Amino acid sequence: MDITIDRKSGEPIYRQLVRRIQEMILSGALPEGFRLPPERRLAEALGVNRSTVLSAYRELKALGLVDSHVGRGTAVLRPPAPPPAVVGVPWRQLFRESVARSHDPILADLLAFSERKDIISFSIGLPAPELLPLETIGRFTTELLDEVGPPLLLHCPTEGHTPLREVIASWVTARGIHARTSDVLILSGSQQGLDLVARVFIDPGDVVVVEEPTYLGALPAFRVAQARIIGVPVDRDGMRTDVLASVLEHHRPKLIYTQPTYQNPSGAVMSLERRRHLLELASRWNVPILEDDTYSELNYDGDALPSLKALDEEDRVLYQSTFSKVLFPGFRVGYAIVPPVVLRQLVLAKQGADLHSNSFGQYLLERFVREGHFASHLERSRTEYRRRRDAMAAALERDRSSALEFERPLGGFYIWCRISDGIDQSALLANAAQRGVVFLPGRACFAAEPPGNFLRLNFSHPSEEAIGVGVQRLLEVIGEASVLARPRGANGPTTSPVV
Ligand SMILES: Cc1ncc(COP(=O)(O)O)c(C=O)c1O
């Protein structure tokens, strides 16, 4: 065996021995069955201690390269098969740090559950499938293919299909927001508004104020932009502007994100007084407000209050809404109303993201709104969703022993519930899924540690019957979990839900 030892190298001698013999075995220079020299002989030949050779042989044995038996010495084994060349690209290590941190496996699981027919899902905010005006859309599709032809399926301007921008400008103007066609930017869902605003306004480390709780999809948009997210609590009158005042003073945020009307998830409605206070504070500290008005048209008890944008006299509010909740989330069409200088910048960001939103969907929606179907569909939706909200509230009220608290929302898609603090949400979700019902764990709606234990229940998508069955199952699971949980007080929960 041709082995030389380098005594000047920092590598221990036994390691040099292992490395050299390993090389010879793997290269085939020492074939299977070859007997290595006895330890004492090799030690003498190399001028090293016998224990050094012993350690090297032991390590070679541990590596599965040799075997030794008393009386038969140490023999080379068949070299192990080489490992597969590439096991896979280590993608997770390559992601930006902010992306890697924004992964929440619970949300992926919930999307998977939403596709299972045997599970009643209260977890995702979708419209009722029975309400979708499929016939009208089918008719419009045929008409438009006939009348418009190929442009229906080709590119449209990044700002959006101009006739759709026109009808949106008239629609919002009737709701107190004075918008020209040129102020309207069509978005690929209002989710894109969050992303584009984050790209255009947020540098890493900038502070973004969100409500606590907030729309769960806003958090990844701001996190990917590496914003520092600060939560301001929401009570039944919306964002606590007294707390906001102090956050503005101490953190100088770059942006305030709010849903003043039928907030997702809490259902809260910001009072008129607080809307005015918020505008005043934003003006004093010169901070733009991103108003997400996704749910204000889904009002079930009286009219919604004027939007911040309608009250805004400084053009400080970036307003966004969507067709996803009243009509088709799959069209991915939402819109923003913003000052011209902001619109130009958002357009540049949008060109980098998707060039423009879905042309076909924009043509269809334009006709749907222009011909008055949107208004009548909205009326029908309100009636149906009011019924479903009442059905869910009644089902939840049926069993007050379950230690679950909630307030009936005046609009929107969700009932926000508080349960005993001691209940583990992941275990509860797993048990509920086994019984065939799922909900959104409230912690997904907080940027930091939640101040309590909450669940968000969607009532727009499941039928009234499914709501009854699903709530009963859920209350059973919560009841069982409450028995095991640490009690919050002798008489059960006493703190009001954050709505
Ligand atoms: C408050 C809020 N903003 C934005 C969105 C995103 O909606 P879209 O489908 O228009 O992207 C949602 C969807 O649930 C939402 O609740």
Side-chain angles (χ1 to χ4, degrees):
M1 278 199 332
D2 177 20
I3 298 178
T4 41
I5 298 293
D6 179 0
R7 289 174 200 280
K8 292 202 192 96
S9 126
E11 188 181 23
I13 293 176
Y14 93 94
R15 277 294 321 151
Q16 295 186 41
L17 267 176
V18 170
R19 192 164 43 76
R20 187 65 197 112
I21 297 173
Q22 184 176 22
E23 279 165 12
M24 287 191 282
I25 294 174
L26 294 178
S27 69
L30 300 181
E32 183 184 356
F34 179 87
R35 281 181 199 285
L36 298 185
E39 292 134 19
R40 187 186 305 274
R41 184 140 44 91
L42 184 60
E44 281 169 9
L46 296 173
V48 300
N49 281 331
R50 186 176 162 232
S51 61
T52 305
V53 179
L54 193 64
S55 301
Y57 281 11
R58 276 207 195 111
E59 186 155 333
L60 288 165
K61 191 172 173 187
L63 289 168
L65 295 169
V66 299
D67 202 4
S68 54
H69 293 282
V70 182
R72 275 190 283 151
T74 302
V76 172
L77 293 173
R78 184 201 301 268
V86 176
V87 172
V89 182
W91 290 114
R92 282 184 207 290
Q93 290 167 27
L94 300 174
F95 292 154
R96 280 173 64 193
E97 206 185 305
S98 54
V99 172
R101 272 190 283 115
S102 64
H103 177 69
D104 184 349
I106 272 212
L107 300 183
D109 288 350
L110 283 174
L111 281 171
F113 283 136
S114 73
E115 280 164 15
R116 279 191 33 195
K117 295 272 177 290
D118 56 326
I119 289 194
I120 296 171
S121 175
F122 295 147
S123 61
I124 300 187
L126 292 172
E130 307 82 6
L131 278 182
L132 298 181
L134 299 183
E135 240 174 74
T136 315
I137 291 298
R139 179 159 55 81
F140 285 175
T141 302
T142 315
E143 285 172 14
L144 283 166
L145 281 169
D146 231 31
E147 292 164 25
V148 182
L152 208 55
L153 300 163
L154 298 178
H155 287 307
C156 75
T158 304
E159 291 83 351
H161 177 50
T162 309
L164 178 64
R165 298 169 75 202
E166 262 165 37
V167 295
I168 290 172
S170 321
W171 179 265
V172 298
T173 299
R175 277 147 197 81
I177 298 173
H178 299 291
R180 297 160 301 178
T181 302
S182 59
D183 300 326
V184 180
L185 169 65
I186 302 298
L187 301 167
S188 297
S190 54
Q191 184 67 36
Q192 187 176 48
L194 296 161
D195 179 58
L196 296 183
V197 167
R199 286 184 201 215
V200 165
F201 286 91
I202 307 305
D203 282 314
D206 279 347
V207 171
V208 173
V209 169
V210 302
E211 288 160 329
E212 216 174 28
T214 188
Y215 166 50
L216 76 158
L219 297 173
F222 296 136
R223 280 187 186 131
V224 164
Q226 292 177 266
R228 220 155 46 84
I229 301 175
I230 295 192
V232 170
V234 168
D235 65 17
R236 71 179 67 223
D237 290 327
M239 187 195 280
R240 292 263 312 269
T241 48
D242 57 331
V243 178
L244 175 69
S246 135
V247 169
L248 286 166
E249 191 177 336
H250 293 105
H251 298 282
R252 301 296 173 93
K254 194 74 183 290
L255 182 75
I256 301 169
Y257 169 65
T258 175
Q259 297 171 66
T261 308
Y262 315 135
Q263 203 239 19
N264 171 9
S266 69
V269 176
M270 192 185 289
S271 66
L272 196 54
E273 197 187 337
R274 285 207 190 155
R275 287 176 198 237
R276 296 221 160 92
H277 192 204
L278 170 55
L279 286 167
E280 188 191 307
L281 287 170
S283 174
R284 191 183 315 153
W285 294 98
N286 196 19
V287 186
I289 298 170
L290 175 56
E291 177 178 28
D292 189 339
D293 198 27
T294 290
Y295 297 95
S296 72
E297 285 161 343
L298 293 162
N299 51 306
Y300 313 131
D301 301 303
D303 290 337
L305 289 172
S307 62
L308 291 173
K309 184 76 178 161
L311 299 170
D312 172 24
E313 288 171 0
E314 296 182 335
D315 224 4
R316 169 175 304 284
V317 175
L318 313 173
Y319 175 92
Q320 66 170 36
S321 189
T322 180
F323 289 101
S324 286
K325 301 299 165 183
V326 178
L327 272 175
F328 305 108
F331 273 0
R332 307 305 305 130
V333 179
Y335 55 92
I337 315 274
V338 293
V341 59
V342 177
L343 191 136
R344 274 195 294 282
Q345 215 51 50
L346 293 179
V347 163
L348 289 178
K350 185 169 164 67
Q351 281 174 351
D354 63 357
L355 298 181
H356 61 81
S357 301
N358 166 7
S359 311
F360 201 167
Q362 293 189 59
Y363 273 90
L364 285 167
L365 283 170
E366 186 269 325
R367 183 158 292 200
F368 201 80
V369 180
R370 193 184 291 282
E371 294 193 1
H373 295 276
F374 188 65
S376 54
H377 179 72
L378 196 48
E379 243 352 281
R380 251 198 321 281
S381 304
R382 285 190 192 111
T383 309
E384 182 56 33
Y385 295 148
R386 182 183 300 116
R387 197 176 294 139
R388 293 185 188 202
R389 174 204 59 179
D390 292 344
M392 183 172 270
L396 288 168
E397 269 157 6
R398 219 165 283 141
D399 179 6
R400 278 307 192 170
S401 64
S402 66
L404 175 145
E405 296 176 348
F406 70 96
E407 276 189 32
R408 180 184 303 233
L410 302 176
F413 267 8
Y414 314 98
I415 296 189
W416 183 237
C417 306
R418 183 164 188 164
I419 55 171
S420 299
D421 287 349
I423 296 178
D424 178 278
Q425 290 212 351
S426 301
L428 187 71
L429 183 62
N431 289 341
Q434 269 192 346
R435 300 275 175 94
V437 62
V438 288
F439 57 86
L440 180 81
R443 69 163 193 268
C445 307
F446 291 90
E449 197 54 35
N453 211 354
F454 300 94
L455 320 177
R456 191 194 73 179
L457 304 181
N458 166 261
F459 55 79
S460 59
H461 189 61
S463 66
E464 262 188 76
E465 194 196 341
I467 287 174
V469 175
V471 167
Q472 194 181 340
R473 289 178 188 169
L474 184 62
L475 290 179
E476 281 166 18
V477 180
I478 294 174
E480 289 160 17
S482 305
V483 173
L484 301 172
R486 177 169 42 88
R488 273 200 284 156
N491 300 321
T494 51
T495 321
S496 299
V498 183
V499 286

